[in-house]
Amino acid sequence: MKDNRLDPAPKKAGKPIWPKVPAGFVRSVLAGHSALGLAFAALIYLVCFSGSVAVFAREFQRWEQPNATPIAAVTPAALQTAMEQAIARSSTTVEHVRILPPTPDLPRLTVSTDADSVERSYAADAAGRLGDEGEAVWTEFMVLLHTALHLPRAWGGFVVGLAGVALLSSLISGVLAHPRVFKDAFHLRWGGAKRLQEADLHNRAGVWALPFHVIVSLTGALLGLSTLIVGILALAMFQGDTSKAYALFVPVIPDDPRPAVAPPDLAAAVEAAQRLAPDARPTFISIEHPAEQGQTVVVNVAKPNRVMAGSNLYFDGRGRLLDISRTAEPNLGQKILASLGPLHFGWFGGIVVKIAYGLLGLALTAVTASGVAIWLARRRDKGRPAPRWERIWIGAVWSQPLAFAASALIVLALSSTAASTPLLVWGLVTGTPLGLSVWVEPARLSRILRLVSAVALGLVVLTHLVRHGAHYEDSAAWAMNGALIAIAALLAWTVLRPAIRRTSQAATAEQTRAT
């Protein structure tokens, strides 16, 4: 006879960590998630892809200008010399001068002027002596594509901000639409149906890096919609006076348009900034209206490897501190505003953080691309295929690596300094695969674009070596060329590996039949 006393007591079912979500709610949120993602898919994808590249904007600037000798630091006197020489080179009245002192990720002294809406940029040596005029054309194209889509600044930033809002909403609705998304965080269905495999990768990439995705989309939305936010703040608090709203973040300095007797004493301002913030270093200097008596010097000082971009110290033309009550200690609003850029681009922790941001940004790009692919596959499984949209989406996704590589290749090959050159090439190369997608089936189009992108990246490196004679003053050029070759090899591997595998399997099968 069985002794029930020896049997262990039945275990009670534990209370689930997550509350049970009604199926109707899940279906509704999933429908909204799909609709939102589809409506903004191409825009979000472009912003995410270009943002992943823009993380390395300073490294690409060094790559474009490899013959500039790296500089670890400069003296206030050298900054004064650089400013005066830049002003002297302008044939018209200079309205603004921007100076970037050397930093670990950009070890060079860069000076730019704005006169009659014409911007010129120069590299200077450690003594502040300006070299020839030169700009990182492709780097500027790439950054502006991410931040404003090459539209007018206000409108472009607004559109990019909307993309950030749409992305953030998609992330939230994606989590709500999948009640088991955290429970199944490490569940991957390999080797089965392709749609299920892609869905698992889509969900896992979205969950594993969810904090990063939220931070990047939120900061991107705030940066892009800052003008709108200030406008709403002005309406709510200052009867629409935006100048008062901006005064909450930036001190208002009265204008004095009378001609200046002497150029600003930049050296005195920088020395004063160093005394006020001895544990920080100047990262950005702006000279406003240097030809007027209302000339102002703004020195941004920041501590190394900090998320917050730093504090702005305002000086008059003689180097005397202005509005010390505002500049001595930034308020909460200023701290939040100053942290948005570094948090969004990963410019706060050196190259390791940048690499992490680049990889996580590519993961977010893949999440966007796979989301549309999953929706199209689901339609196909339900008997409502959309082959034309499948081809168009493949063309849109894989056109971007090729378009970025082709634009850089043409700029290098032609030694072009025209800002329109990379934009025209990018537009042409982006549109060509979309046209080809009408006739070429998706899988083949994907293979062609990946392989051509790999070849184009290889040509970019070769052209770079030929143009500069492989005599680089800045070692970052070698590192960037190595990274581009690695990316080209990876793209080629994704195309050639399946072909090699099929050939090997065919040879094995033939050998088996022969024996």
Side-chain angles (χ1 to χ4, degrees):
M1 183 176 179
K2 185 177 180 181
D3 189 354
N4 292 332
R5 291 176 300 175
L6 299 178
D7 292 340
K11 295 183 179 179
K12 295 182 180 180
K15 186 177 180 180
I17 299 177
W18 302 103
K20 186 175 181 180
V21 181
F25 174 81
V26 173
R27 285 194 297 270
S28 298
V29 176
L30 183 58
H33 175 73
S34 300
L36 185 63
L38 291 171
F40 291 90
L43 177 61
I44 293 175
Y45 176 82
L46 176 58
V47 171
C48 289
F49 181 85
S50 58
S52 302
V53 182
V55 169
F56 304 99
R58 293 176 179 176
E59 284 72 20
F60 273 113
Q61 181 178 345
R62 297 170 65 181
W63 174 78
E64 276 198 85
Q65 301 169 335
N67 296 324
T69 303
I71 302 172
V74 292
T75 63
L79 296 173
Q80 180 77 30
T81 300
M83 179 198 68
E84 292 181 358
Q85 289 192 7
I87 294 174
R89 289 196 181 188
S90 177
S91 59
T92 58
T93 302
V94 173
E95 299 171 7
H96 311 282
V97 180
R98 307 281 187 259
I99 299 178
L100 288 175
T103 57
D105 58 349
L106 190 61
R108 61 186 59 183
L109 176 58
T110 305
V111 185
S112 60
T113 59
D114 178 11
D116 292 338
S117 300
V118 176
E119 295 186 4
R120 290 184 170 86
S121 181
Y122 308 91
D125 61 16
R129 295 184 295 265
L130 298 191
D132 295 333
E133 183 177 351
E135 297 181 359
V137 177
W138 187 84
T139 301
E140 292 175 3
F141 149 78
M142 174 262 297
V143 171
L144 189 56
L145 181 64
H146 175 69
T147 57
L149 301 174
H150 286 271
L151 299 173
R153 291 276 183 176
W155 287 103
F158 181 75
V159 174
V160 172
L162 285 181
V165 173
L167 177 57
L168 181 61
S169 302
S170 296
L171 292 170
I172 295 173
S173 60
V175 173
L176 294 176
H178 300 82
R180 293 170 55 90
V181 71
F182 291 103
K183 184 177 181 180
D184 296 338
F186 298 96
H187 178 63
L188 292 173
R189 290 169 286 191
W190 292 100
K194 184 178 180 180
R195 180 173 68 84
L196 296 178
Q197 180 174 305
E198 288 187 352
D200 281 351
L201 288 173
H202 175 83
N203 294 335
R204 299 301 85 80
V207 171
W208 292 340
L210 186 60
F212 168 83
H213 300 336
V214 171
I215 289 173
V216 168
S217 58
L218 178 60
T219 54
L222 292 174
L223 288 169
L225 300 177
S226 57
T227 303
L228 178 63
I229 293 171
V230 169
I232 294 173
L233 182 63
L235 286 173
M237 299 180 62
F238 305 110
Q239 290 76 46
D241 189 345
T242 56
S243 62
K244 292 183 179 180
Y246 278 112
L248 296 174
F249 306 97
V250 180
V252 177
I253 308 299
D255 288 333
D256 187 349
R258 293 176 298 172
V261 178
D265 192 345
L266 177 58
V270 173
E271 290 170 354
Q274 292 174 336
R275 288 194 300 270
L276 290 168
D279 55 344
R281 60 185 299 173
T283 60
F284 178 76
I285 301 170
S286 175
I287 300 96
E288 308 294 328
H289 308 296
E292 300 177 3
Q293 289 194 22
Q295 55 193 205
T296 306
V297 178
V298 185
V299 182
N300 180 274
V301 292
K303 297 178 181 179
N305 296 330
R306 293 292 183 92
V307 173
M308 196 176 77
S311 303
N312 286 330
L313 302 176
Y314 294 78
F315 301 89
D316 65 10
R318 300 299 92 207
R320 295 171 298 198
L321 187 66
L322 298 172
D323 201 4
I324 191 169
S325 62
R326 288 186 181 273
T327 57
E329 180 62 31
N331 58 41
L332 179 60
Q334 290 172 320
K335 290 180 179 179
I336 293 174
L337 187 63
S339 66
L340 292 180
L343 267 179
H344 184 73
F345 289 101
W347 294 346
F348 59 86
I351 190 62
V352 174
V353 173
K354 286 187 178 183
I355 292 174
Y357 260 67
L359 294 175
L360 290 170
L362 289 176
L364 185 55
T365 306
V367 167
T368 304
S370 60
V372 178
I374 292 167
W375 179 80
L376 292 169
R378 188 180 294 120
R379 279 183 59 100
R380 193 187 320 114
D381 292 346
K382 292 180 178 179
R384 297 184 293 110
R388 179 173 296 179
W389 284 111
E390 290 182 23
R391 293 194 294 267
I392 290 175
W393 184 242
I394 288 294
V397 168
W398 288 111
S399 67
Q400 289 314 294
L402 177 57
F404 273 57
S407 60
L409 177 61
I410 295 301
V411 169
L412 286 172
L414 300 180
S415 300
S416 175
T417 58
S420 59
T421 299
L423 180 60
L424 290 174
V425 175
W426 172 83
L428 179 63
V429 177
T430 296
T432 301
L434 295 179
L436 291 175
S437 65
V438 177
W439 300 283
V440 184
E441 58 95 13
R444 185 182 179 191
L445 181 61
S446 173
R447 290 194 299 270
I448 291 173
L449 290 176
R450 280 179 284 156
L451 192 57
V452 175
S453 297
V455 173
L457 286 171
L459 290 175
V460 166
V461 174
L462 179 61
T463 306
H464 193 273
L465 291 170
V466 171
R467 177 181 173 184
H468 297 287
H471 300 298
Y472 300 148
E473 294 289 337
D474 194 335
S475 60
W478 289 111
M480 296 304 292
N481 279 336
L484 293 176
I485 287 294
I487 295 171
L490 179 61
L491 286 172
W493 179 78
T494 63
V495 177
L496 300 177
R497 182 173 179 269
I500 295 173
R501 179 184 295 175
R502 288 193 298 270
T503 302
S504 177
Q505 291 175 345
T508 302
E510 182 65 25
Q511 185 178 5
T512 302
R513 285 194 297 269
T515 57

